[in-house]
């Protein structure tokens, strides 16, 4: 097989339509269409590999470093601040919510650097699985480390662990996610579609839709199965909470949070092992002529930055993803801080809320996927539906600026929020990734997923800092005031994505982009090319 991509080949050049094609006897070469994905039985996706992929995500469910660690961090901040309500952080006296938002911003800024360094190399060679393994080991270390941090006097240590933990969680999630297009495009089902296309039994549009559905199925089922597995884990966690007797005292509650993080980390470690072992080390892109692995990362990054302007639809989605990701990430953080304050950091109640949210998430994601395949809807249609849910969520929060009767001020609202968020907003985490795969040229998955993560992290850096400044500038430190900014941001991104993004145009742009890349490689091989060709 060609090795232009994790498990499948790049689209052949237009002037060489037989290159790497799946051939069928009896057809003349100039009459035979060429499937954009090429197959090698050695790298065909197996059922066991798919389930190992799912299992990793059941473990990396966010309970460790994305849910309970932030709660533990904010809890220790609250106790350390006492009645004063402020602590000195990053050279300034800040409120608890402001510290959390700034810590998020620091974490996301560091992630940008890491994605730039790692992502540019990840599409080459056979060692990409090692990236996920190393980052996962860092995450495991942070998760187990929380066992030693559960008193208010260690809030500075908790801040460092919180920042590094978020980095480890987000990077592992990104490089796990980037593998799904390669898995989907190596399935027996898509191989059969490629053969049908080569034989002329289906059109290119039908093949592209089959490709879309395979990627959508794998991504959505991963999220659905992860949600079901997370419910079981949360049920086990409730038993652990009773065992630690978290309601007995503040110290027990603190310790209980640390135990939960370590317990969930242990499960993550066990569930990650099958993927580390079973994943097929599909070849990435070959090194361009006259380049080594050190040079190629910078070359790849340079090419992406200078040539992405040819991918106008990809760039358009990048802008919309930046704006909407900023809005949603900050919205979730602001609501979480409001929830923790209203619930008063009660670990048991927070766990029950998570159970409701995850159950709703499972129903929501599966319902979206069922609706898409039942009515043959496009990925963009489903994505647009998620955007509506995000706008409604920000509108709900904005009402709370003017009244205490509604707008995330009462415990009952957070039960409703968890249900609404799971049913109508959580599909974002699946469909936004499917959309990235829709606008990513074949063979560039790890680079483009890294670039999109950088954009996501940049937006997540800006949003929290702006929201923190809005809270600090409000006359009474109103924690709901960021919803002004967040609703406007959601509406602006909706305008970009709903009305201007065209995925069919994007596919044509990607094919032209890959053809040009092949020409550049050929020039480099002949010695007539240069870095910026």
């Amino acid at each position: 097989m060609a090795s232009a991509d994790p498990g499948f080949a790049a689209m052949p050049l237009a002037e060489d339509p037989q290159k790497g094609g799946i051939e069928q006897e009896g057809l003349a070469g100039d009459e035979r269409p060429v499937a954009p994905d090429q197959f090698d039985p050695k790298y065909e996706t197996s059922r066991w590999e798919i389930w190992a992929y799912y299992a990793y995500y059941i473990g990396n469910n966010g309970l460790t470093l994305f849910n309970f660690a932030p709660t533990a961090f904010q809890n220790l901040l609250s106790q350390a601040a006492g009645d004063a309500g402020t602590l000195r952080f990053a050279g300034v006296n800040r409120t608890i919510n402001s510290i959390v938002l700034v810590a998020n911003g620091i974490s996301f800024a560091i992630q940008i650097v890491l994605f730039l360094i790692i992502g540019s190399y990840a599409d080459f060679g056979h060692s990409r699985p090692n990236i996920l393994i190393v980052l996962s080991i860092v995450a495991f270390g942070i998760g187990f480390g929380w066992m030693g941090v559960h008193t208010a006097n260690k809030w500075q240590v908790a801040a460092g662990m919180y920042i590094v933990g978020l980095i480890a969680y987000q990077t592992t999630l990104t490089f796990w996610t980037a593998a799904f297009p390669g898995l989907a495009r190596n399935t027996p089902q898509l191989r059969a579609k490629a053969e049908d296309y080569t034989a002329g039994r289906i059109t290119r549009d039908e093949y592209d839709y089959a490709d879309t559905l395979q990627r959508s199925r794998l991504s959505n089922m991963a999220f659905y199965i992860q949600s079901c597995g997370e419910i079981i884990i949360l049920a086990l966690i409730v038993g652990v909470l009773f065992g630690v007797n978290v309601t007995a005292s503040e110290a027990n509650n603190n310790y209980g949070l640390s135990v939960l993080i370590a317990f969930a980390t242990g499960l993550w470690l066990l569930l990650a092992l099958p993927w580390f072992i079973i994943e097929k080390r599909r070849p990435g892109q070959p090194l361009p002529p006259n380049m080594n692995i050190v040079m190629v990362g910078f070359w790849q990054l340079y090419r992406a930055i200078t040539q992405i302007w040819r991918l106008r639809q990809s760039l358009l989605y990048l802008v919309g993803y930046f704006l909407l990701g900023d809005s949603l990430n900050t919205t979730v953080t602001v609501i979480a801080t409001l929830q923790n304050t209203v619930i008063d950091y009660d670990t048991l109640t927070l766990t029950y809320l998570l159970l409701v949210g995850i159950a709703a998430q499972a129903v929501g994601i599966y319902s979206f996927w069922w609706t898409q395949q039942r009515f043959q809807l496009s990925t963009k249609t489903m994505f647009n539906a998620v955007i509506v849910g995000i706008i409604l969520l920000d509108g709900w929060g904005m009402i709370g600026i003017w009244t205490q009767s509604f707008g995330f001020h009462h415990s009952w609202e957070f039960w409703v929020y968890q249900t609404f968020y799971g049913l109508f907003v959580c599909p974002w985490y699946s469909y936004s990734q499917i959309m990235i795969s829709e606008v990513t040229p074949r063979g560039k998955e790890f680079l483009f997923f890294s670039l999109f993560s950088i954009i996501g992290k940049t937006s997540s850096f800006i949003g929290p800092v702006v929201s923190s400044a809005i809270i600090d500038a409000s006359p009474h430190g109103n924690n709901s005031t960021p919803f002004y900014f967040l609703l406007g941001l959601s509406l602006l991104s909706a305008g970009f994505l709903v009305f201007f993004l065209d995925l069919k145009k994007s596919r044509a742009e990607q094919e032209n982009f890959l053809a040009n890349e092949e020409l550049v490689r050929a020039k480099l091989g002949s010695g007539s090319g240069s870095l910026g060709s």
Side-chain angles (χ1 to χ4, degrees), residues 283-355:
Q285 300 176 67
L287 293 177
N290 306 316
M291 285 196 186
N292 57 40
I293 192 64
V294 176
M295 293 174 58
V296 76
F298 294 104
W299 180 80
Q300 166 107 320
L301 186 60
Y302 175 82
R303 292 290 302 172
I305 293 172
T306 57
Q307 300 301 311
I308 196 173
W309 310 106
R310 299 186 181 188
L311 299 169
R312 292 183 178 84
Q313 294 300 315
S314 302
L315 201 57
L316 181 61
Y317 181 64
L318 198 66
V319 173
Y321 182 80
F322 173 89
L323 296 173
L324 194 58
D326 190 3
S327 174
L328 181 57
N329 289 334
T330 310
T331 295
V332 171
T333 300
V334 170
I335 294 174
T337 58
L338 293 170
Q339 176 179 277
N340 288 336
T341 302
V342 172
I343 303 301
D344 198 25
Y345 310 103
D346 183 272
T347 308
L348 198 57
T349 302
L350 290 170
T351 303
Y352 288 144
L353 282 166
L354 269 176
L355 271 169

Side-chain angles (χ1 to χ4, degrees), residues 32-309:
R32 182 172 54 247
V34 179
D37 301 310
Q38 307 302 302
F39 299 84
D40 185 332
K42 181 169 59 174
Y43 298 114
E44 186 166 280
T45 304
S46 69
R47 190 175 185 85
W48 283 108
E49 189 179 15
I50 289 176
W51 278 99
Y53 181 76
Y54 294 160
Y56 182 91
Y57 192 39
I58 295 173
N60 189 10
N61 51 50
L63 290 176
T64 52
L65 306 178
F66 191 71
N67 290 115
F68 286 120
T71 300
F73 174 46
Q74 192 177 346
N75 181 39
L76 296 183
L77 287 178
S78 178
Q79 293 170 24
D83 294 335
T86 61
L87 289 168
R88 192 162 187 81
F89 183 76
V92 179
N93 289 327
R94 302 178 186 274
T95 65
I96 295 166
N97 291 338
S98 178
I99 291 172
V100 172
L101 291 169
V102 171
N104 279 358
I106 294 171
S107 172
F108 295 141
I110 295 172
Q111 287 174 52
I112 292 172
V113 177
L114 289 178
F115 280 122
L116 280 173
I117 295 171
I118 299 172
S120 58
Y121 295 91
D123 282 312
F124 296 91
H126 293 76
S127 61
R128 286 163 300 161
N130 295 338
I131 297 173
L132 181 61
I133 292 172
V134 171
L135 292 171
S136 297
I137 290 171
V138 173
F140 301 151
I142 294 294
F144 290 128
W146 274 99
M147 284 297 294
V149 182
H150 47 80
T151 54
N153 64 324
K154 293 184 178 180
W155 72 267
Q156 295 99 331
V157 178
M161 293 184 65
Y162 172 69
I163 291 170
V164 177
L166 277 183
I167 294 169
Y169 169 72
Q170 294 289 354
T171 51
T172 55
L173 189 60
T174 295
F175 287 108
W176 169 85
T177 304
F180 88 87
L183 285 177
R185 287 169 175 160
N186 275 282
T187 55
Q189 295 92 330
L190 203 60
R191 178 182 178 85
K193 289 295 182 181
E195 291 170 350
D196 287 343
Y197 174 64
T198 302
R201 290 189 289 268
I202 62 174
T203 65
R204 176 59 190 269
D205 284 345
E206 289 173 317
Y207 179 85
D208 287 337
Y209 187 70
D211 174 31
T212 293
L213 278 188
Q214 276 299 315
R215 283 181 282 113
S216 188
R217 179 183 68 86
L218 196 63
S219 180
N220 281 306
M221 289 306 295
F223 278 79
Y224 169 70
I225 291 169
Q226 181 265 349
S227 300
C228 295
E230 193 171 352
I231 292 172
I232 296 172
I233 293 173
L234 283 169
L236 293 173
I237 282 174
V238 171
V240 173
L241 290 175
F242 280 109
V244 179
N245 196 16
V246 292
T247 58
S249 66
E250 182 180 85
N252 278 31
N253 189 65
N254 292 356
Y255 182 64
L257 280 169
S258 294
V259 169
L260 293 189
I261 297 169
F263 174 74
T265 299
L267 293 176
W268 180 5
L269 172 59
L270 292 174
L271 290 164
L273 291 176
W275 178 241
F276 294 160
I277 297 168
I278 297 174
E279 181 188 8
K280 294 179 180 177
R281 292 182 174 251
R282 298 177 176 89
Q285 300 176 67
L287 293 177
N290 306 316
M291 285 196 186
N292 57 40
I293 192 64
V294 176
M295 293 174 58
V296 76
F298 294 104
W299 180 80
Q300 166 107 320
L301 186 60
Y302 175 82
R303 292 290 302 172
I305 293 172
T306 57
Q307 300 301 311
I308 196 173
W309 310 106

